[in-house]
Amino acid sequence: MAEKKIARQHVIAKLLTGAVYFDDEGYWQVLLDDKPTLLPYFADMGVRLEVDTEMGMGFLRPMNQAEEEEFALGGYAPLPKIIPPKILGYLPSVMCALLREALQRHEENSVDTTHLYLDEGQLVELLRPYLSETSAEKALKREVKKVIARVEEISVLHRLLNRSEVIYRVEPIIRARIPLAHLQELLTRLKDLGKAGAAGEEAGDNGDKESA
């Protein structure tokens, strides 16, 4: 049976749900070939197609505030958002922020490779300080696997196939999702949320003890 080809429509659908990377077989070449016509196609929807050949990725971004204001100056009503904000929850948000921080350190210090690769154990250790200390190790690892799966859904982590061990690549789209200028503010906010949650749990535990 002949191998199925990737069409322009496949690339459009993939961009609307995530990102296209250099090792997405078939997709990447179609993206590069059709970029001149895809740019105005997505611009008509009010989003911008970004293609970074150095990092090997293509993704859509919403109009920024300046672009929205320029559009409104023409007397037009605001455009519907075709890229809705992704609600991750606390732990997936923490992992994304920590991965962004790890990627920045990697880019500053590594001379061997542009991409950052982490195994499952490293991801567990990355998130461990934000998880309950009372959790059993098996339960903790199950929790981290759930977080990893959620972060994979938004194309920030990509599991490498055909490997004897579980290895993930931190996708460079995270640089667009979490600009470096906002990273420390995000980490501080997430830490404060974590402390507030822990304080709430402690208060709940004390309340239970008092009522017993």
Side-chain angles (χ1 to χ4, degrees):
M1 182 182 293
E3 186 177 348
K4 299 292 186 181
K5 295 189 294 183
I6 298 300
R8 171 189 172 93
Q9 291 90 332
H10 292 99
V11 173
I12 290 170
K14 194 168 180 66
L15 286 167
L16 287 169
T17 56
V20 172
Y21 293 102
F22 68 95
D23 56 354
D24 286 331
E25 192 170 347
Y27 286 85
W28 181 246
Q29 191 57 52
V30 174
L31 173 61
L32 294 180
D33 292 343
D34 285 16
K35 179 184 172 183
T37 56
L38 287 172
L39 286 169
Y41 175 83
F42 285 115
D44 285 343
M45 298 184 189
V47 293
R48 301 290 181 261
L49 170 61
E50 303 284 352
V51 180
D52 187 331
T53 53
E54 182 180 348
M55 297 303 298
M57 67 172 180
F59 63 97
L60 300 177
R61 69 165 178 82
M63 286 195 294
N64 58 36
Q65 185 176 351
E67 290 166 335
E68 288 180 345
E69 288 174 357
E70 183 181 353
F71 185 76
L73 285 174
Y76 300 108
L79 287 170
K81 303 291 186 183
I82 68 166
I83 306 177
K86 294 178 171 62
I87 300 173
L88 290 179
Y90 176 67
L91 287 176
S93 296
V94 167
M95 176 165 279
C96 285
L98 295 175
L99 290 174
R100 180 65 181 94
E101 187 177 44
L103 181 61
Q104 181 63 24
R105 287 198 303 266
H106 174 77
E107 291 174 344
E108 290 173 351
N109 300 319
S110 176
V111 295
D112 298 327
T113 176
T114 304
H115 291 93
L116 172 62
Y117 298 90
L118 298 171
D119 62 31
E120 197 168 69
Q122 289 172 306
L123 292 172
V124 169
E125 293 308 312
L126 197 66
L127 205 58
R128 186 184 293 274
Y130 295 85
L131 296 167
S132 171
E133 294 180 2
T134 58
S135 295
E137 190 66 16
K138 286 185 177 180
L140 183 145
K141 288 181 177 179
R142 281 197 303 270
E143 183 66 25
V144 174
K145 284 183 178 180
K146 291 178 185 177
V147 175
I148 291 171
R150 182 69 184 97
V151 175
E152 277 188 281
E153 288 176 7
I154 61 167
S155 302
V156 166
L157 280 176
H158 172 70
R159 181 172 177 171
L160 303 185
L161 302 177
N162 303 319
R163 306 280 298 220
S164 58
E165 56 183 330
V166 179
I167 299 289
Y168 295 90
R169 183 176 68 217
V170 180
E171 299 292 29
I173 194 173
I174 197 172
R175 294 189 303 169
R177 296 265 173 85
I178 306 177
L180 195 57
H182 301 159
L183 177 59
Q184 290 307 316
E185 179 188 348
L186 175 61
L187 284 168
T188 300
R189 193 161 69 243
L190 289 169
K191 286 176 183 176
D192 290 343
L193 283 171
K195 289 176 184 176
E201 288 178 6
E202 185 177 342
D205 290 342
N206 290 338
D208 290 342
K209 289 175 184 176
E210 289 170 3
S211 61

